[in-house]
Amino acid sequence: MSGADTVGSLGSDGSYDVIVVGSGAGLVGAYAAASRGLRTLVIEKTEYVGGTTAYSGAGIWLPGNAAELRAGIEDGPDLARPYLDAIVGDDSPASVREAFLQAGPRLIDELEANPRFDRFVWQGVPDYFAGRPGSLPQGRTIFPQDIDRAELGDLEPLVRRPLWTERWGVDPGPVMVGGQALIARALLAFTETGNGTVLTNTALERLLVEDGAVVGVEAMREGEPVTYRAGRGVLLAAGGYERNGELRQRYQPGVGDEWTQGCPGNTGDALTAGIAVGAATDLLDESWYAPGLVVPRTRPVFYTSVWSGIWVNAAGQRYMNERLPYDRAGHEMLRAHRASGVSGVSHIPTHWVFDQRQIDNERAFAGLPVAPQVPGWFDVDEFIEAGVLKRAGSLEELAALIGVPEGALTESVERFNGYARNGKDEQFGRGEDPWDLMITHMAGSHTDGPNPCLGVIDKPPFYAATIVLSDLGTKGGLRTDGHARVLRTDGSVIGGLYASGNTMAPMSGRIYPGAGGPVGSSMAFSYIAALDMADGGR
């Protein structure tokens, strides 16, 4: 696609009730507004709708939702509240968390009433902080149903391609799955209200303010400045700033933009536009972190956790449970690396050390990353030639290849092998949490030990892959209240301005509560914003 594309009709005078900036999970808010009779405009900076949400698996973490209850899981705000209170603490306002908890079930009920969304499905992904009050080992995460591309008709080319298509050129196939399916369903529902318009290749420049309230947006469309007015309000749902190297160095020194999984359009335009009109911000130093497996010729692959092997730092030592949920693992990498200023031991990159068993297990490289639809994507010879994978006949030779002390690496492996034979990781407890066991089920496991999450590393040749600190997007943003209204630094509301998703300071603070936390939160607060605007807005 090229040029500026329009879906729906443009208002003759450029006036709407609601303007949504960004077309990821914010499309759910756009649908909620349009379905209530509000003329709603979505502007999207890139040529596709969907943002990073379209890349995702579309897990949606919304406690007490209908799909979860249909699966027989007992849950709701009263059960989830202690969990969020325990893991988030003071890193986000309790009133914002409460708004999220109350909105989630209502949102799913409303979406499922529209056949375009169909019924969501619960799949049993555990919460990420096992053992905390209110944590569910069965998990609260739900997913959209797949959808045939043909069902979208002329709208199909508008939806952002899957990540594996963009990176490897693989045909996306006739069925949309995960995030693509969620975006496709939201786009259909939105346009079918008769009140929705989508403009792609339309970039936000600044917010239009009159008498202290936001009344519209100024944007660039096909190289020309345009102005659109909003009678009820503007929702900023344009993702984070992960693709903006300057902003990352300002707010996250030492964490660059070259390893992110975020959408190319996510350069912080909505964030900076909000700051320019006096919005307060919070947690701009945070991201939804994830270990990234370095691959040839493209950005690292989001890798949820290892099936086999161990991770070691530059001293050849383990420093975490390699199966921690990805955001927790990423935070641990960053914490350890920052502490290396004292110890002098680097943790980024980390070395993933494993043996031939990992290579021989066909499922080990097929079921975990975001790119499983690319046959043979882990080509050993190609990875070795690119220098991102090392291979050696012994651990001593491998240590020399990756530049770590050979005695330390050998000791780390031998210690881990003892844990594998005994069935208990005495250092980091790998294999003791529901998440660890789920990953084992997904990828297959060793069968020669009592703990399925611990496999002996003793079958040469030995390998070391390169793990870096990647992310699914930045997560700090504009501070809001429980109605998704953007606040000034003095706590007052900026009339007509709302935020959700990664443009909004996160409901979950510095943590990631469970699979689908970012998408679920973005959907919920986009919905909350739409409800407030439907009630009168400004």
Side-chain angles (χ1 to χ4, degrees), residues 30 37 51 59 64 118 168 200 202 215 250 257 281 300 312 315 329 331 357 398 415 450 471 485 500-501:
D118 206 342
W168 281 275
T200 58
T202 304
V215 297
R250 182 185 307 171
D257 62 327
T281 61
V312 299
H331 273 92
R357 288 185 180 87
L398 187 66
R415 179 183 296 180
D471 63 72
R485 300 179 299 183
S500 67

Side-chain angles (χ1 to χ4, degrees), residues 6-275:
T6 303
V7 176
S9 58
L10 280 171
S12 58
D13 61 352
S15 295
Y16 299 85
D17 296 311
V18 172
I19 296 174
V20 178
V21 181
S23 63
L27 270 178
V28 170
Y31 163 72
S35 67
R36 286 165 170 77
L38 300 181
R39 292 175 303 117
T40 304
L41 171 67
V42 174
I43 65 170
E44 164 58 44
K45 176 181 179 181
T46 71
E47 61 185 312
Y48 297 116
V49 301
T52 304
T53 301
Y55 288 159
S56 75
I60 302 166
W61 195 84
L62 291 172
N65 65 77
E68 184 187 9
L69 301 181
R70 283 196 298 270
I73 307 301
E74 182 181 353
D75 195 21
D78 290 341
L79 292 175
R81 188 179 301 110
Y83 178 61
L84 285 177
D85 288 348
I87 61 179
V88 177
D90 296 329
D91 287 333
S92 79
S95 59
V96 173
R97 300 200 299 271
E98 188 63 27
F100 166 82
L101 290 172
Q102 297 300 327
R106 180 181 175 186
L107 166 61
I108 296 302
D109 287 345
E110 185 169 323
L111 296 183
E112 290 193 338
N114 185 322
R116 284 301 190 188
F117 284 99
D118 206 342
R119 282 193 161 194
F120 292 87
V121 180
W122 171 86
Q123 293 188 4
V125 183
D127 285 342
Y128 287 168
F129 289 82
R132 299 297 184 93
S135 174
L136 290 187
Q138 314 96 316
R140 300 171 157 104
T141 305
I142 61 174
F143 298 84
Q145 304 262 17
D146 298 347
I147 185 171
D148 289 341
R149 291 185 180 278
E151 194 170 328
L152 273 83
D154 292 342
L155 293 177
E156 192 279 332
L158 202 64
V159 179
R160 179 168 290 282
R161 307 292 92 177
L163 189 61
W164 55 88
T165 297
E166 289 193 355
R167 291 192 182 184
W168 281 275
V170 177
D171 189 290
V175 178
M176 291 182 170
V177 302
Q180 269 216 312
L182 178 63
I183 294 301
R185 292 183 178 281
L187 182 61
L188 283 169
F190 174 60
T191 56
E192 289 172 356
T193 64
N195 296 312
T197 301
V198 179
L199 299 180
T200 58
N201 292 295
T202 304
L204 174 68
E205 290 285 299
R206 61 188 61 84
L207 296 167
L208 187 62
V209 178
E210 294 177 359
D211 298 324
V214 173
V215 297
V217 301
E218 295 179 2
M220 291 296 292
R221 179 170 165 78
E222 294 188 303
E224 297 293 332
V226 291
T227 298
Y228 302 112
R229 298 183 68 87
R232 299 291 184 95
V234 173
L235 169 61
L236 300 178
Y241 63 90
E242 58 269 14
R243 289 291 193 118
N244 187 319
E246 180 182 348
L247 289 182
R248 292 208 81 149
Q249 287 308 304
R250 182 185 307 171
Y251 299 122
Q252 300 183 355
V255 179
D257 62 327
E258 66 273 17
W259 293 334
T260 183
Q261 311 290 323
C263 175
N266 292 356
T267 55
D269 303 347
L271 172 69
T272 55
I275 292 172

Side-chain angles (χ1 to χ4, degrees), residues 295-297 379-391:
V295 301
R297 299 187 307 279
D379 184 300
V380 171
D381 292 335
E382 181 184 16
F383 273 56
I384 290 175
E385 184 178 350
V388 298
L389 180 69
K390 306 294 185 182
R391 178 173 56 195

